[in-house]
């Protein structure tokens, strides 16, 4: 039968399949989100995220060693403070949990790259991502607080800050504060396109950061919208963002592609969030899917959509799977 094009020719064996891959994935593009809590000697597994732990700063060091040995180049720190108040004070104090952990971590493992999540929800008694005015999160009152949090992280050693609050104008507020204090070379990775998503459920359990009333829909984006994400990304870029992030990842690959295509001048990061990890774990524990294969496939899918950086709870495992040649 005459058939000039036979796509199967390039799928004949592993060597040729590897040669013609369109998407290459590298350990260098992985970032690991990790929870750090107050105390010492603590390493407690998070029930909603099997295999993920809350570490006290001393125990975090052991995890960082493992990550570093596996070839994961960067971590993103989330703080879980002992004390919460209305204003999220413990987010910016010098001996805050993230600040303490950063100082120790930087000294022990200076070769890792430290990113911090800048937000207030883990630190406020009401669980919202900003300062309240009645039942409303007051955008403009929140901005100086976010700038102060970001500055305190950088002063404690953060290499990059990642604001996740979704207030308008926060990138500019943070950029100005960092520049004013001589940190003009510290990059900002903006959670530019962050949706109000139920995929964050396991994280909120882990961080105790669920809002005590209402939801986050007045500041995080409506998942029906894509072009609004382009607008958010464009504004953040104008305000000085260095990297644009889309979050969640798996169910939002059209958005990842949209942002990567429209803003090729900056890297696009995608955050595969807690609910994505939890779904794979849970189905695998039931024996319904193969965890390794599904996690590998998911990661490659996100890069194929256009992500340059993948933030994932599977970072350490992925680094291993890349080293084994399962994906890459
Ligand atoms: C803080 C923040 C959240 C996540 C990252 N930063 C929670 C939220 O917005 O409610 C979610 C991460 C995940 O689910 O893995 N605002």
């Amino acid at each position: 039968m005459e058939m000039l094009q036979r796509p199967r020719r390039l799928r004949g064996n592993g060597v040729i399949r590897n040669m013609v891959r369109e998407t290459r994935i590298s350990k260098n593009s992985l970032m690991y989100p990790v929870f750090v809590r107050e105390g010492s000697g603590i390493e407690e597994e998070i029930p909603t995220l099997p295999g993920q732990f809350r570490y006290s700063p001393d125990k975090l060091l052991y995890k960082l060693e493992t990550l570093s040995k596996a070839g994961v180049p960067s971590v993103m720190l989330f703080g879980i403070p002992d004390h919460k108040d209305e204003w999220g004070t413990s987010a910016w104090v010098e001996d805050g949990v993230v600040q303490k952990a950063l100082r120790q971590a930087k000294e022990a493992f200076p070769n890792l790259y430290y990113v911090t999540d800048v937000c207030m929800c883990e630190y406020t008694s009401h669980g919202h991502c900003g300062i309240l005015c009645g039942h409303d999160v007051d955008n403009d009152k929140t901005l100086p607080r976010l700038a102060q949090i970001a500055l305190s992280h950088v002063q404690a050693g953060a290499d990059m800050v990642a604001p996740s609050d979704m207030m308008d104008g926060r990138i500019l507020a943070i950029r100005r504060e960092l520049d004013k204090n001589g940190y003009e070379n510290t990059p900002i990775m903006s959670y530019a396109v962050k949706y109000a998503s139920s995929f964050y459920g396991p994280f909120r359990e882990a961080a105790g950061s669920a809002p005590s009333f209402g939801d986050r829909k007045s500041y995080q984006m409506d998942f029906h919208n894509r072009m609004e994400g382009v607008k958010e990304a464009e504004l953040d870029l104008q305000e000085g963002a260095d990297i644009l992030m889309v979050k969640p990842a798996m169910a939002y690959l059209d958005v990842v592609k949209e942002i990567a295509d429209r803003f090729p001048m900056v890297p696009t990061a995608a955050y595969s969030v807690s609910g994505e990890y939890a779904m794979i774990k849970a189905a695998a524990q039931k024996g319904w899917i193969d965890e390794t294969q599904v996690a590998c496939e998911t990661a490659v899918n996100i890069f194929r959509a256009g992500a340059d950086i993948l933030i994932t709870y599977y970072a350490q495992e992925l680094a291993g799977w890349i080293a084994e040649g399962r994906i890459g």
Side-chain angles (χ1 to χ4, degrees), residues 14-271:
V15 177
I16 188 67
R17 283 197 297 272
N18 289 351
M19 198 180 295
V20 301
R21 274 178 180 165
E22 295 175 41
T23 305
R24 303 271 172 202
I25 102 165
S26 153
K27 293 181 197 179
N28 295 332
S29 310
L30 300 174
M31 189 179 288
Y32 180 66
V34 63
F35 299 92
V36 45
R37 53 155 292 165
E38 302 272 6
S40 66
I42 302 168
E43 182 184 328
E44 56 189 10
E45 191 164 15
I46 300 162
T48 51
L49 294 169
Q52 303 300 315
F53 298 79
R54 299 184 196 96
Y55 300 94
S56 52
D58 57 328
K59 284 285 186 179
L60 176 69
L61 300 181
Y62 292 95
K63 181 63 181 175
L64 295 179
E65 184 173 15
T66 320
L67 286 163
S68 171
K69 282 195 177 136
V72 176
S74 70
V75 292
M76 174 141 77
L77 297 179
F78 290 92
I80 306 173
D82 270 350
H83 301 289
K84 304 187 188 224
D85 63 28
E86 221 178 311
W87 308 276
T89 313
S90 39
W92 62 78
V93 291
E94 207 186 314
D95 64 344
V97 60
V98 165
Q99 291 82 348
K100 260 189 300 207
L102 264 173
R103 281 191 210 97
Q104 295 181 26
K106 282 281 276 196
E107 198 179 315
F109 300 101
N111 293 335
L112 283 170
Y113 194 85
Y114 297 91
V115 184
T116 56
D117 181 85
V118 174
C119 195
M120 298 182 69
C121 62
E122 297 116 84
Y123 303 89
T124 50
S125 44
H126 44 76
H128 278 286
C129 302
I131 303 290
L132 287 188
C133 191
H135 269 193
D136 212 39
V137 176
D138 189 312
N139 193 88
D140 297 12
K141 272 197 190 125
T142 303
L143 297 181
R145 297 283 85 84
L146 294 167
Q148 196 175 359
I149 297 170
L151 178 63
S152 76
H153 288 174
V154 174
Q155 283 170 335
D159 296 300
M160 177 157 86
V161 289
S164 67
D165 51 281
M166 288 301 277
M167 297 302 120
D168 294 332
R170 87 260 213 229
I171 303 299
L172 183 61
I174 291 172
R175 186 71 273 158
R176 285 204 171 128
E177 185 72 8
L178 295 184
D179 289 1
K180 203 170 76 191
N181 287 277
Y183 296 108
E184 52 280 293
N185 289 323
T186 303
I188 302 175
M189 172 164 69
S190 173
Y191 283 71
V193 191
K194 176 173 175 178
Y195 288 89
S197 168
S198 294
F199 284 100
Y200 309 151
F203 172 100
R204 292 180 188 169
E205 278 296 313
S209 66
S212 61
F213 65 88
D215 53 39
R216 302 207 201 291
K217 289 183 182 164
S218 75
Y219 40 103
Q220 299 179 351
M221 282 176 49
D222 181 349
F223 57 76
H224 297 75
N225 302 344
R226 188 173 59 219
M227 290 314 291
E228 191 189 359
V230 176
K231 171 170 144 192
E232 282 283 4
E234 184 144 355
L235 286 171
D236 285 3
L237 203 54
Q238 285 165 9
E239 291 178 29
D242 299 281
I243 299 176
L244 299 170
M245 189 208 296
V246 175
K247 172 186 174 198
M250 211 161 129
Y252 293 79
L253 293 183
D254 59 322
V255 184
V256 173
K257 178 156 167 52
E258 190 79 47
I259 298 302
D261 284 352
R262 285 185 188 256
F263 303 98
M265 66 298 272
V266 287
T268 301
Y271 192 155

Side-chain angles (χ1 to χ4, degrees), residues 291-308:
E291 180 182 12
T292 305
Q293 288 181 22
V294 171
C296 284
E297 191 176 323
T298 306
V300 172
N301 292 166
I302 296 167
F303 284 109
R304 196 195 54 237
D308 303 294

